Amino acid sequence: PKPSADPPATTVKSYACQRRTPLKHHNTFLTDALEILAENAEFNENEGRSVAFRRSASVLKALPHVVRGMDDLKNLPCLGEHSVRVIKEILEDGTSSEVESTRQSEQYQAMKALTGVFGVGVKSADRWFREGLRRPLDLIHTGQKLNLAQQAGVQYYNDLNRPVTKREAVAISHIVEKAVNAVLSGAIITLMGGFRRGKEVGHDVDFLITHLEEGAEEGLMPKVLNWLEEQGLLLYQKTTRNSYLESKDGPARPPHNLDRFERCFSIFKLEKGKEGSGTSLNTSYDSGTTEGITGTTEQPGPSWRAVRVDLVVSPFSQFAFATLGWTGSKLFERELRRWAGQEKGMSLSSHALYDSKQQRYLRANSEEEIFAHLGLEYIPPSERNA
Ligand code: 8DG
Ligand code: MN
Ligand code: MN
């Protein structure tokens, strides 16, 4: 039922993909608090609660003004009872007791520290927490069995928890361009993730690689990694097929070219100052799903640092979907898929858009076309910071 009264001063649409969310907004004092509770809910594997807090925070990020009182919350969507209680407390007392006690809690702090290790998820961190472990170094001291990702995570812990600057992202871009061009000419390399949305710093650097000639991108990832490894620029890498959003969200993936779309989670060795010439490690690399650490005895020093890099290769026919899927933010992506499913009877992934009613895949050559298929106003990357 629609109210017939005057429209509210600020209208905010209920899906994050229907609104513009700039990077810098007016309510950090509230959204930081709500996001602590969201994070804590994730640590307790309560996804529903976590998403509810994230949605509340995201609504406040989209407001063109500071929230000064409860009146400012009138007509806003997505604000659950719990979020409203927290906001009220902060507006009245300056802080929320629940947020502060969460921040101080041993569990929150330990989970934050342990999941802050690359390769460590909530499940492992929680098991270790219940065994009495608190800090990343406890993993070493107590002789925990770590997989290769986690070993690299501990080894480069300090570097990987230091924000990557835009400058460093650009330096990494040059390296990736050089690597890709060395093994395939004419490839297109695009910076994705937070940096595409205009962030000044990130926790990693994300790249999407494609080629105008469909099929030319096949087999590219192993070649690129091989080149990087020969140059001594890789500290860790793991390649997998991309199956992230697809498993949950039904058929939004054309059945053909299943094997082409590849991604790689890696750690680069970035020379400080100028790009290093690199030393040859002569490590062989086989295609397929592989994982390995090179240069395991090396420690970051004054001359270089470790940087997390995500590489994704996409056939050109899926490039628009991959671009949309890897730009983020995570909540924006989640909301796009929810909108597609709940409001449009469609299924969106980073490969394709499937229309259940028409029982066919909808083609798109640009992000604009995907928004149009979804009946959404186009939101540029800099306004997807939901
Ligand atoms: P940050 O690194 O600056 O902290 O922020 P970010 O760039 O927004 O976060 P991110 O963790 O690097 O993720 C960037 C985008 O990539 C995000 O929108 C979600 C998407 N993404 C993953 N993993 C996967 C995956 O496995 N498949 C697909 N299709 N997308 C993914 O993070
Ligand atoms: Mn990123
Ligand atoms: Mn990433």
Side-chain angles (χ1 to χ4, degrees), residues 164 192-197 199 201-206 240-246 261 263 265 308 310 312 321-322 324-334 337 349-351 385:
V164 181
M192 293 284 138
F195 288 111
R196 183 163 186 254
R197 301 196 310 275
K199 283 179 70 175
V201 294
H203 97 285
D204 69 356
V205 196
D206 308 285
T240 53
R241 282 180 199 157
N242 189 315
S243 55
Y244 167 71
L245 307 170
E246 288 64 43
F261 202 73
R263 62 179 166 155
F265 300 108
R308 272 272 298 114
D310 285 338
V312 185
F321 297 100
L324 181 59
W326 285 87
T327 297
S329 69
K330 288 213 174 74
L331 185 70
F332 192 90
E333 302 293 334
R334 191 185 181 104
R337 301 196 303 275
S349 77
S350 52
H351 302 279
N385 291 292

Side-chain angles (χ1 to χ4, degrees), residues 62 83 85 156 183 208 225 236 268 288 290 328 358:
S83 293
R85 203 186 328 135
Y156 305 116
V183 298
L208 177 59
L225 293 173
Y236 169 86
F268 274 41
T290 67
Q358 299 185 52

Side-chain angles (χ1 to χ4, degrees), residues 259-291:
D259 295 339
R260 286 198 209 160
F261 202 73
E262 277 192 295
R263 62 179 166 155
C264 175
F265 300 108
S266 72
I267 302 175
F268 274 41
K269 178 179 178 178
L270 179 65
E271 297 286 337
K272 289 177 187 169
K274 65 170 199 264
E275 280 175 30
S277 50
T279 48
S280 176
L281 290 172
N282 294 323
T283 318
S284 69
Y285 177 81
D286 288 321
S287 60
T289 299
T290 67
E291 182 176 22

Side-chain angles (χ1 to χ4, degrees), residues 155-156 234-236 281 283 293-299 304:
Q155 190 176 353
Y156 305 116
L234 271 188
L235 298 165
Y236 169 86
L281 290 172
T283 318
I293 298 180
T294 57
T296 43
T297 56
E298 289 191 272
Q299 279 301 323
W304 60 274

Side-chain angles (χ1 to χ4, degrees), residues 27-38 53 57 86 90 96 99-100 103:
N27 293 294
T28 320
F29 73 113
L30 295 172
T31 59
D32 284 355
L34 292 168
E35 283 174 347
I36 296 267
L37 298 182
F53 283 128
V86 172
I90 296 173
S96 144
V99 173
E100 292 319 308
R103 238 196 265 269

Side-chain angles (χ1 to χ4, degrees), residues 358-371:
Q358 299 185 52
Q359 298 201 4
R360 67 179 184 100
Y361 290 99
L362 305 179
R363 295 185 167 279
N365 289 313
S366 65
E367 291 183 309
E368 283 86 343
E369 287 178 41
I370 303 172
F371 280 88

